[in-house]
Amino acid sequence: MRYWIVCLGFFVWVGLIASKLLWLQILRHQEFVEKAQKQQQHTFEVAPRRGVLFDRNLRELAMTVQADSVFAVPSEIDDKPATVRALARIVHVGNDSSPVDAWTSEDQILARVNASRGFAWIARRLSPEAAAKVKALNLKGIYFQKEFQRFYPDNEIAAQVLGYVGVDDNGLGGMEQKFDGRLHGEPGRMYAAMDARRHVMGSTEREPESGENLVLSIDEQIQFIAEKALDAAMQRTRAANGTAVVQDIHTGQILALAIRPTFNPNDFRHTTPQLLRDHAVSDVYEPGSTFKLVTYASAIDQGIVKPDDKIDCQGGAITFNGRTIHDDKSDHYGVITIHEALEHSSDVAAVKLALRMGPDHFYQYIRNFGFGSKSGLELPGETRGLLRPPPKWGSTSIGSIAIGQEIGVTPLQLVSMVSTIANGGVYLAPHVVMQASAPLTAHPFHPGEDLPTPLPSDARRVISTLSAAEMRKMMEGVVLYGTGRQAQLNGYSSGGKTGTAQKIDPATHTYSKTMHIASFTGFAPVNSPIIAVAVVLDDPKGGGVSYYGGAASAPVFAEIAQHTLEYLGVPHDIDLRPPHPAGKLSPNEVEPEQEHTGDISALVAALNDLPPDDPLREAVDSAHAASAAAAKTHPAPEKNQPKQESPLASDAQSEQEIASAEKIEAPLSPPQPNMIKVPSLVGAPVRQVVEQVASAGLTLQVTGRGLVRSQEPAAGIFVQPGTQVIVHCAR
């Protein structure tokens, strides 16, 4: 009996052990494996490489680079306060040239170290200099991890379009936010094994999946042109903010979207919410007289009037439903033509046309031009503007809307409206994204393309082709004879419309007499339009510049359009003119005949509306002085004398003929006192060539575009002041 009792106890003991083992190793196996893994290894999330944002020519606008991040294993640190103090002296100013946020302060780092035994961040994405200093300390328990950091190689260029990325690699504005899911990619994992003393023994990784790449319709060079012109305007007018939008009229693609003031996305920690606003898509303002284009286009398309029809402006005032609307105080027109009414921006004429159309037809045209609805542009924060349906209009609303009041628009809607007129009457929704993922291809801008066939699903005809052509001619008259004379280009025709709107005074909720919005929107060239440009300046009030759109915003349009057309290599459609002494031709002034069609003045005029402190302006003045001196020393031959043809006049001459001509024309040794040495221009960009040739007192003719590949006369030859230098450019 005792034997069997012992055996029974033994079997019970074995059964209990077996049951416990079954419970631990089978039923709770996964639970204890996970606990062991937590004790034995630490998991790090490895951020994926964020997708690249390219411009249309595949130039990187936003890219991802690697940077060192510092973390600590607190259990390995012997003297935590001393270690943290040494690190904080470096990393608290290591991310930027100025102190960063409190996250890298000594107190914050010490709190994170004390709160964990296995892992604590010290600093994320250090600069190479700061990382080298931390490595040089060789501190126990301090380790480095490579992380991806977003980098914007052009700094502030297109900042509001691109947006920026936060510390955790999340998009926080612009395209970075709108397409964050596609750009971000799938994160990976890194598993670091620990021993009983929490020492790192090794690690394994699961590779992350990179995000998609996006090709934008933005052209980096055109964006630079727009931003530099806007910078000069902000300095000249001291406006509160400014917006410039350049659009391809044949596709609706946005070539440039410039906002001022702006920020540097590489240093987003030191910006403010106001700097992050994309005024082109999120700000609503009353357009003023630029909206009269909708009124006139609608009336002409309805067949109510024709450009040459007469309209009575009644001495500059009209009264209806108890309200009187006046033209500008200086304008008291009687019976004039429709195109003259637009040229002089008559409010009375616009009101009369709207009344003839009636509210329903007028409202439908406004909607068809894209106002009162979102365009679908791939940027966050777009607003539809403010437009009430006719049943909610007041008794005089139709007159107010006809002259750009009681309606809110965005600069993006404004430029799309002008593109509709310029391309023949078809509305094309604006776009900024062209292509995603691999394989990526460049989309160079080809001037003069036709409308896409078939038209996109969101395209629609707004006015007839004939109506659009008549409007383009009337808009050209605004620039030539009306309020937009400062929007004239050199070598290109242009059309547009000025606008000056009163802002609402927040204190009185009435129109302010001191705060205005100056705008200009137009296109160029007139007969074969390529681009549309809208410029909006909020409250210009400085530098002795008028707050009217024709004085504040039209010169910005001229500079952007001139540079852009030259950059695109668009052929001139009107004669080049020499610069006016005041920088512009006065109205109806006859342009003097040029002695040399390739004179430096023609090329410099392509860099229209240079700011007063631009070095190129000084170079131009020096060139004119040198040319004037040369003209006195070497007067031009009389008209009845046979004109000697220059050996450089024809591009078809061989290099041997050019070289022999140079030897005959330019003495080699010794040069005469007034002779000028031709500078070396090969390999230089056009702007640098303009500066060098102008400062030397020579004239210039440029063929092609890109960098200079050859020049005539050759570098080092001595020539007379004012001699023409021909450069051949290519990409």
Side-chain angles (χ1 to χ4, degrees):
M1 181 63 69
R2 289 195 298 270
Y3 172 78
W4 289 111
I5 291 174
V6 171
C7 289
L8 178 61
F10 175 78
F11 283 119
V12 170
W13 176 68
V14 171
L16 292 174
I17 293 177
S19 300
K20 187 66 174 180
L21 292 176
L22 177 67
W23 174 255
L24 293 175
Q25 296 190 13
I26 296 179
L27 299 180
R28 299 186 64 187
H29 171 77
Q30 188 61 34
E31 177 185 347
F32 286 109
V33 167
E34 293 176 357
K35 285 185 176 181
Q37 288 178 344
K38 289 181 180 179
Q39 294 175 356
Q40 296 168 8
Q41 66 184 19
H42 193 87
T43 302
F44 303 90
E45 183 176 282
V46 181
R49 181 181 290 274
R50 197 173 178 86
V52 181
L53 293 176
F54 294 98
D55 86 333
R56 64 187 307 119
N57 297 306
L58 296 187
R59 303 185 186 100
E60 294 93 343
L61 298 176
M63 57 195 299
T64 299
V65 297
Q66 284 193 329
D68 283 311
S69 293
V70 183
F71 69 93
V73 179
S75 61
E76 299 181 9
I77 301 175
D78 297 328
D79 188 351
K80 294 180 181 178
T83 300
V84 169
R85 192 178 306 113
L87 291 170
R89 280 197 292 263
I90 299 174
V91 301
H92 191 50
V93 294
N95 291 346
D96 305 288
S97 59
S98 57
V100 296
D101 53 67
W103 197 80
T104 55
S105 65
E106 181 178 343
D107 293 339
Q108 288 289 328
I109 297 174
L110 185 59
R112 291 195 297 273
V113 170
N114 289 331
S116 173
R117 284 182 51 83
F119 177 87
W121 281 117
I122 300 298
R124 307 284 296 275
R125 299 178 178 91
L126 290 174
S127 66
E129 297 79 8
K133 292 179 181 178
V134 173
K135 290 178 181 179
L137 295 177
N138 196 25
L139 296 172
K140 184 180 179 182
I142 302 301
Y143 301 93
F144 289 84
Q145 169 67 35
K146 289 289 185 182
E147 285 196 291
F148 291 125
Q149 180 179 13
R150 202 60 164 168
F151 176 64
Y152 302 87
D154 293 327
N155 294 318
E156 298 178 350
I157 296 294
Q160 278 80 6
V161 175
L162 302 176
Y164 64 100
V165 172
V167 175
D168 293 325
D169 206 36
N170 295 320
L172 299 178
M175 303 298 296
E176 300 280 21
Q177 177 183 349
K178 185 74 172 182
F179 294 92
D180 184 57
R182 296 168 63 179
L183 291 168
H184 190 278
E186 290 295 329
R189 293 287 187 271
M190 185 182 75
Y191 306 96
M194 305 283 187
D195 64 9
R197 297 179 180 273
R198 310 298 296 169
H199 294 161
V200 177
M201 297 186 299
S203 63
T204 58
E205 294 186 13
R206 189 189 77 189
E207 293 296 327
E209 297 181 10
S210 300
E212 295 184 37
N213 300 326
L214 294 180
V215 178
L216 308 184
S217 63
I218 298 294
D219 188 303
E220 183 187 41
Q221 299 298 327
I222 299 177
Q223 180 73 28
F224 176 78
I225 290 170
E227 294 198 8
K228 296 302 289 183
L230 201 55
D231 282 335
M234 294 292 289
Q235 183 179 4
R236 175 172 56 93
T237 64
R238 295 203 289 274
N241 60 69
T243 304
V245 186
V246 183
Q247 187 177 35
D248 173 12
I249 68 162
H250 296 105
T251 63
Q253 296 166 0
I254 302 299
L255 303 177
L257 194 156
I259 307 292
R260 286 298 184 270
T262 187
F263 69 101
N264 185 348
N266 291 315
D267 188 22
F268 66 89
R269 294 182 183 89
H270 298 110
T271 189
T272 62
Q274 183 61 28
L275 296 179
L276 302 177
R277 288 182 64 87
D278 189 343
H279 301 286
V281 299
S282 61
D283 278 13
V284 175
Y285 73 101
E286 287 190 345
S289 294
T290 53
F291 196 77
K292 292 174 184 175
L293 294 175
V294 176
T295 307
Y296 280 79
S298 305
I300 290 176
D301 192 63
Q302 279 278 293
I304 295 173
V305 292
K306 295 180 180 179
D308 291 329
D309 288 350
K310 301 288 186 177
I311 189 168
D312 187 3
C313 293
Q314 304 177 181
I318 182 173
T319 301
F320 69 104
N321 293 334
R323 179 188 174 190
T324 301
I325 294 179
H326 297 274
D327 282 336
D328 188 80
K329 294 180 180 179
S330 60
D331 299 332
H332 302 286
Y333 300 109
V335 178
I336 58 177
T337 61
I338 294 295
H339 68 79
E340 289 175 332
L342 181 65
E343 291 167 8
H344 300 290
S345 196
S346 170
D347 289 348
V348 174
V351 171
K352 283 191 168 185
L353 294 179
L355 290 172
R356 292 186 194 178
M357 277 187 289
D360 292 330
H361 286 103
F362 189 29
Y363 175 78
Q364 191 58 49
Y365 274 102
I366 295 173
R367 293 284 296 180
N368 288 342
F369 270 110
F371 298 102
S373 60
K374 294 183 179 180
S375 67
L377 184 76
E378 305 91 342
L379 282 174
E382 184 186 10
T383 178
R384 65 180 184 87
L386 299 174
L387 176 62
R388 296 171 296 163
K392 295 185 178 181
W393 289 4
S395 60
T396 62
S397 292
I398 189 171
S400 298
I401 295 174
I403 60 176
Q405 297 177 353
E406 291 190 33
I407 183 173
V409 307
T410 66
L412 184 70
Q413 292 173 334
L414 199 64
V415 76
S416 296
M417 177 265 293
V418 173
S419 290
T420 301
I421 296 174
N423 69 26
V426 177
Y427 173 83
L428 297 172
H431 293 284
V432 76
V433 174
M434 301 188 68
Q435 189 178 356
S437 273
L440 300 177
T441 57
H443 297 263
F445 184 75
H446 299 294
E449 292 180 341
D450 294 328
L451 292 174
T453 304
L455 290 173
S457 58
D458 54 1
R460 57 181 176 269
R461 176 162 291 282
V462 181
I463 58 177
S464 68
T465 304
L466 177 59
S467 300
E470 291 175 330
M471 281 299 301
R472 289 197 299 270
K473 208 64 182 174
M474 291 169 61
M475 292 168 70
E476 183 183 23
V478 173
V479 172
L480 291 177
Y481 315 111
T483 57
R485 292 168 184 167
Q486 293 199 52
Q488 295 178 18
L489 309 181
N490 188 20
Y492 300 102
S493 57
S494 61
K497 185 69 184 76
T498 59
T500 308
Q502 292 175 288
K503 295 182 66 175
I504 299 295
D505 190 333
T508 62
H509 300 287
T510 58
Y511 285 112
S512 171
K513 295 183 179 180
T514 59
M515 297 185 295
H516 301 83
I517 293 180
S519 58
F520 184 92
T521 183
F523 64 93
V526 172
N527 293 322
S528 181
I530 303 296
I531 57 171
V533 182
V535 178
V536 179
L537 296 178
D538 184 0
D539 199 19
K541 58 175 58 175
V545 178
S546 170
Y547 58 78
Y548 285 98
S553 298
V556 186
F557 163 86
E559 184 172 354
I560 294 174
Q562 184 78 50
H563 289 196
T564 300
L565 294 175
E566 294 283 1
Y567 160 72
L568 295 173
V570 177
H572 293 148
D573 64 337
I574 61 175
D575 292 335
L576 292 166
R577 66 172 185 266
H580 187 265
K584 292 284 183 182
L585 287 178
S586 59
N588 303 323
E589 180 177 351
V590 178
E591 298 177 6
E593 183 179 356
Q594 291 180 312
E595 179 69 18
H596 302 284
T597 58
D599 187 35
I600 187 67
S601 60
L603 189 58
V604 171
L607 307 172
N608 219 6
D609 290 323
L610 292 174
D613 57 348
D614 195 303
L616 187 55
R617 187 176 291 279
E618 299 178 4
V620 174
D621 295 338
S622 301
H624 288 310
S627 299
K632 292 180 180 179
T633 308
H634 305 281
E638 297 294 334
K639 291 185 178 181
N640 57 358
Q641 293 181 351
K643 185 176 181 180
Q644 183 178 358
E645 184 178 356
S646 169
L648 305 179
S650 174
D651 289 338
Q653 287 180 298
S654 65
E655 295 183 2
Q656 291 81 2
E657 291 173 332
I658 293 173
S660 61
E662 291 169 351
K663 291 180 181 179
I664 296 173
E665 182 180 57
L668 297 180
S669 177
Q672 298 178 9
N674 62 341
M675 300 292 277
I676 297 175
K677 185 178 181 180
V678 177
S680 177
L681 306 173
V682 175
V686 173
R687 182 180 177 91
Q688 182 179 336
V689 170
V690 171
E691 293 178 303
Q692 287 185 262
V693 173
S695 60
L698 304 172
T699 60
L700 182 65
Q701 179 177 339
V702 179
T703 62
R705 55 177 176 159
L707 300 179
V708 176
R709 300 302 182 189
S710 62
Q711 69 176 86
E712 302 134 11
I717 292 179
F718 288 87
V719 296
Q720 296 284 351
T723 297
Q724 186 179 80
V725 177
I726 303 174
V727 295
H728 303 277
C729 301
R731 292 191 177 278

